[in-house]
Amino acid sequence: MRTSSITLGLATWLFGAAAMAADCGGVDQACEVPMGSYHIAMPEGVDGAVPAVIFLHGAGGTGAREISNDAMRNGLLSRGYALIAPNGMGREGRGGGFWSFIPGREILRDENAFLDEVAADAAQKFGVDRDRIVLSGFSIGGSMTSYAACAQPDQFSAYAPVAGSFWRPHPAECTGPVRLLHTHGWTDGTVPLEGRPLRGGAINQGDVFHGMSIWRAANGCDAWKADRFEMTESFWHRRWVNCNEGTALEFVLFPGGHGVPRGWSQMMLDWYEGL
């Protein structure tokens, strides 16, 4: 989605006060850490340490665009959460950023270490509660979220990938149990539920259903099938509850394609706060 200069200007004005104390974080001035940078939008009137959602953009996106997304930003800030939007690595000859994680390709940055830097810097500069951060992301940012959860499940409080999961070859297993909510469009053609080959088969998206089996194994769930089902006006929920204590696993489908569905931030925070 393209962000107009008017929208960016409004976002700069809205976030200017929140970022002023740190001299960074707004649309026009990212906060720098040794391995990269991030943008942040802070809620008003929140006492004490602030919970947050780190949201990873899709391919070719930027953190500035994410904090300029009215639905995402307002949905989180209205619930008292900060929105932290890191920038992916630059792409030579192309705009926007990418995340370095795809199996079989050269790893250009330790993304988990970068996310640690972002979280620590946001805690120090803005008072974000390091123990109450949800890592999320869209499309390839959702895939990055899944790989971060698989490698270091205790790095963040919970994980909520949207429209992005593992790539082939799928991980054989993950490091440990997680609290994870995966959301995906039923008719997604960009990242289909079954995955698809890209660049003539040079890289291949994974199967989301197989990804859920990896999470079930990591969480010690008793059964393949979900234990609970719920249908709301916008979402179809599949929950596994007979799993190891302290874990959470939910798969949410919605009747749409490749995107973050309307109402997602509220649904995700309801899930997180109910854990």
Side-chain angles (χ1 to χ4, degrees):
M1 179 179 66
R2 292 186 180 273
T3 304
S4 69
S5 59
I6 294 175
T7 301
L8 284 172
L10 176 61
T12 301
W13 177 80
L14 287 170
F15 307 144
M20 190 176 297
D23 268 342
C24 70
V27 172
D28 291 334
Q29 183 60 52
C31 289
E32 301 287 339
V33 295
M35 300 177 72
S37 63
Y38 69 94
H39 300 263
I40 184 169
M42 294 290 294
E44 295 182 357
V46 178
D47 294 327
V50 179
V53 174
I54 294 178
F55 196 85
L56 308 180
H57 61 71
T62 65
R65 289 183 189 174
E66 294 304 331
I67 65 165
S68 301
N69 181 320
D70 289 345
M72 175 73 68
R73 182 188 68 250
N74 295 340
L76 296 176
L77 269 59
S78 68
R79 296 278 290 263
Y81 286 74
L83 170 60
I84 303 172
N87 289 306
M89 299 183 65
R91 305 185 298 174
E92 185 175 354
R94 302 175 68 183
F98 74 99
W99 308 102
S100 184
F101 69 86
I102 295 178
R105 298 177 71 85
E106 181 183 5
I107 301 301
L108 302 176
R109 178 171 71 178
D110 183 337
E111 301 288 18
N112 282 76
F114 167 57
L115 293 173
D116 269 336
E117 289 182 350
V118 169
D121 197 69
Q124 190 272 323
K125 286 188 172 78
F126 298 93
V128 166
D129 188 342
R130 183 63 183 84
D131 295 326
R132 290 191 295 162
I133 298 178
V134 179
L135 180 64
S136 183
F138 169 67
S139 193
I140 202 165
S143 292
M144 182 66 248
T145 300
S146 299
Y147 279 94
C150 188
Q152 293 182 213
D154 294 331
Q155 185 178 23
F156 295 104
S157 180
Y159 298 85
V162 181
S165 184
F166 297 123
W167 289 57
R168 289 178 167 89
H170 303 93
E173 60 182 3
C174 289
T175 304
V178 296
R179 303 198 297 179
L180 183 137
L181 169 79
H182 182 99
T183 305
H184 217 102
W186 182 251
T187 60
D188 193 330
T190 302
V191 183
L193 288 163
E194 300 81 5
R196 65 183 176 120
L198 296 175
R199 300 179 188 174
I203 52 176
N204 296 276
Q205 296 170 348
D207 186 309
V208 177
F209 296 103
H210 185 72
M212 297 307 298
S213 74
I214 296 171
W215 296 126
R216 290 196 299 271
N219 282 8
C221 300
D222 288 343
W224 294 349
K225 73 177 186 68
D227 303 300
R228 296 179 184 173
F229 302 86
E230 179 184 351
M231 295 183 66
T232 65
E233 182 177 350
S234 303
F235 301 106
W236 309 322
H237 300 258
R238 301 168 59 86
R239 299 187 181 99
W240 287 263
V241 297
N242 293 316
C243 308
N244 291 341
E245 185 176 357
T247 67
L249 184 61
E250 186 160 336
F251 184 23
V252 176
L253 293 164
F254 64 93
H258 192 62
V260 180
R262 184 185 300 274
W264 172 83
S265 62
Q266 303 305 302
M267 181 271 292
M268 184 275 291
L269 291 179
D270 287 345
W271 168 80
Y272 177 61
E273 293 176 357
L275 295 178

